[in-house]
């Protein structure tokens, strides 16, 4: 499971990795432990998380079980982490999901938005004091280049960035509505919001020693690929996976942002693997940034 041997010594540091028991998450977790960090992971499946803990090192990994689709669970996870640790040196918002149909969470929010944006935002928002106490500390948001091109088969024509219009939106439950719903677009919009709000966090915390960056790890062979693959290409699923990056290769991009000493003060950036890129133009609009952050902060601050 080794990704690269040049990780900085992380002895004495505490990391939190969402979705740490599957796909890229287990690689990120193992590598951070190998570098000396104490790693706390979130996992919806407690047994799966415990199996990884035993595999990597029972004394170096903690498992917090909860459903990132549920706001109360996310708030509980943040509270449990805070009770156990007074500092957080590294937060990797790695968890992600793609659904073939539209579904609402128990909170009434569209599921792509809940998992791919609100879960990570809420943890970041609620763990601010722990990140600040550990400064210099880092937040890495794993996002997706689909926000810059929502074509499921990007072979012909020009890239089609995901649309985002927050004018008149008063509650995040209004986003990704049933009318005109397209799963791939809903997924991309959630990743775009994660990126946008990461920029705002970076601006707000730039003098606190907390950096916030986003990374698209590349097209990685995970279960999400099966969900986004058009039905006509299903017979070629094995061939598609064989052409994609391994979870180890994808994890390397996130680990670089999380541990590279040369990036210790870099903040508010978006990377496609190891190259800095521009996210969709709407993500640089001040009004959109302010509205996205406020809507998300209102959601995260609510109890229950």
């Amino acid at each position: 499971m080794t990704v690269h041997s040049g990780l900085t010594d992380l002895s004495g540091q505490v990391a939190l990795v969402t979705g740490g028991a599957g796909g890229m998450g287990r690689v990120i977790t193992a590598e951070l432990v190998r570098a000396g960090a104490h790693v706390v992971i979130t996992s919806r499946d407690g047994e799966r998380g415990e199996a990884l803990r035993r595999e990597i090192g029972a004394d170096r990994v903690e498992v917090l079980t909860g459903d990132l689709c549920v706001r109360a669970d996310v708030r509980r996870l943040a509270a449990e982490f805070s009770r156990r640790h007074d500092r957080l040196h590294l937060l990797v918002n790695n968890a992600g999901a793609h659904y073939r149909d539209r579904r609402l969470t128990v909170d009434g929010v569209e599921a792509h938005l809940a998992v791919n944006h609100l879960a990570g935002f809420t943890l970041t928002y609620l763990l601010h004091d722990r990140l600040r106490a550990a400064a210099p500390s880092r937040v890495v948001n794993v996002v997706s280049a689909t926000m810059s091109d929502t074509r499921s088969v990007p072979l012909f024509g020009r890239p089609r960035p995901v649309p985002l219009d927050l004018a008149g939106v008063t509650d995040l439950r209004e986003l990704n509505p049933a009318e005109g719903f397209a799963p791939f677009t809903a997924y991309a919009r959630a990743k775009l919001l994660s990126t946008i709000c990461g920029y705002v966090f970076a601006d707000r915390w730039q003098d606190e020693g907390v950096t916030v960056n986003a990374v698209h790890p590349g097209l990685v062979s995970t279960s999400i690929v099966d969900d986004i693959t058009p039905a006509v290409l299903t017979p070629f699923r094995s061939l598609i996976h064989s052409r994609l990056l391994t979870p180890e290769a994808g994890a390397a991009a996130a680990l670089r942002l999380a541990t590279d000493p040369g990036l210790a003060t870099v903040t508010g950036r978006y990377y496609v693997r190891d190259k800095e890129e521009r996210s969709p133009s709407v993500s640089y609009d001040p009004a959109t940034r302010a509205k996205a952050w406020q809507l998300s902060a209102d959601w995260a601050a609510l109890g229950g």
Side-chain angles (χ1 to χ4, degrees):
M1 196 180 285
T2 298
V3 174
H4 71 90
S5 59
L7 284 183
T8 303
D9 182 4
L10 302 179
S11 299
Q13 296 198 15
V14 177
L16 174 60
V17 180
T18 66
M24 277 177 38
R26 62 186 291 114
V27 181
I28 293 170
T29 299
E31 287 296 306
L32 293 176
V33 166
R34 192 170 68 84
H38 181 89
V39 183
V40 182
I41 68 169
T42 72
S43 177
R44 186 174 56 180
D45 184 337
E47 291 184 4
R48 189 178 186 186
E50 287 299 324
L52 180 63
R53 186 179 70 87
R54 291 190 297 270
E55 174 188 334
I56 294 177
D59 61 335
R60 301 282 296 283
V61 178
E62 289 179 57
V63 180
L64 298 179
T65 303
D67 189 345
L68 296 180
C69 273
V70 180
R71 178 169 51 189
D73 268 19
V74 178
R75 292 181 58 84
R76 177 179 55 78
L77 291 171
E80 287 187 14
F81 179 91
S82 294
R83 281 196 294 270
R84 300 182 188 186
H85 302 280
D86 60 4
R87 287 174 173 79
L88 175 57
H89 300 83
L90 173 61
L91 171 58
V92 183
N93 288 312
N94 162 76
H98 181 277
Y99 306 99
R100 288 185 176 273
D101 53 8
R102 184 176 185 271
R103 58 186 72 178
L104 297 180
T105 70
V106 295
D107 303 302
V109 69
E110 194 275 322
H112 288 99
L113 193 63
V115 177
N116 297 292
H117 169 50
L118 287 174
F121 180 96
T122 300
L123 285 174
T124 305
Y125 183 87
L126 295 178
L127 293 174
H128 177 205
D129 60 336
R130 297 303 191 261
L131 289 161
R132 185 173 52 198
S137 54
R138 309 189 197 192
V139 178
V140 176
N141 293 320
V142 178
V143 296
S144 172
T146 57
M147 61 185 173
S148 297
D149 191 357
T150 56
R151 295 171 300 162
S152 57
V153 184
L155 298 178
F156 307 102
R158 303 180 65 178
R160 190 168 61 233
V162 63
L164 179 65
D165 182 1
L166 298 179
V169 176
T170 60
D171 190 306
L172 286 172
R173 282 170 284 209
E174 299 168 25
L175 293 183
N176 294 344
E179 183 178 357
F181 182 79
F184 198 57
T185 299
Y187 171 80
R189 184 172 293 115
K191 292 295 190 180
L192 174 60
L193 283 165
S194 176
T195 304
I196 289 173
C197 288
Y199 292 153
V200 181
F201 276 127
D203 288 343
R204 285 171 171 254
W205 297 349
Q206 62 181 343
D207 296 326
E208 297 184 2
V210 183
T211 65
V212 185
N213 293 290
V215 61
H216 166 58
L219 295 176
V220 181
S221 179
T222 66
S223 59
I224 288 181
V225 172
D226 294 330
D227 289 328
I228 66 177
T229 299
V232 68
L233 297 179
T234 298
F236 305 100
R237 181 179 299 170
S238 295
L239 177 61
I240 291 171
H241 276 276
S242 70
R243 300 297 181 89
L244 300 178
L245 296 172
T246 63
E248 288 77 10
L255 285 165
R256 173 177 171 271
L257 274 181
T259 65
D260 187 339
L263 298 174
T265 60
V266 172
T267 191
R269 310 289 178 83
Y270 164 58
Y271 292 85
V272 174
R273 293 196 52 73
D274 61 356
K275 182 181 179 182
E276 185 179 344
E277 299 276 3
R278 283 182 61 83
S279 48
S281 55
V282 68
S283 66
Y284 299 98
D285 175 61
T288 299
R289 285 190 179 190
K291 186 67 175 289
W293 196 91
Q294 192 58 59
L295 287 168
S296 302
D298 289 345
W299 178 268
L302 289 174

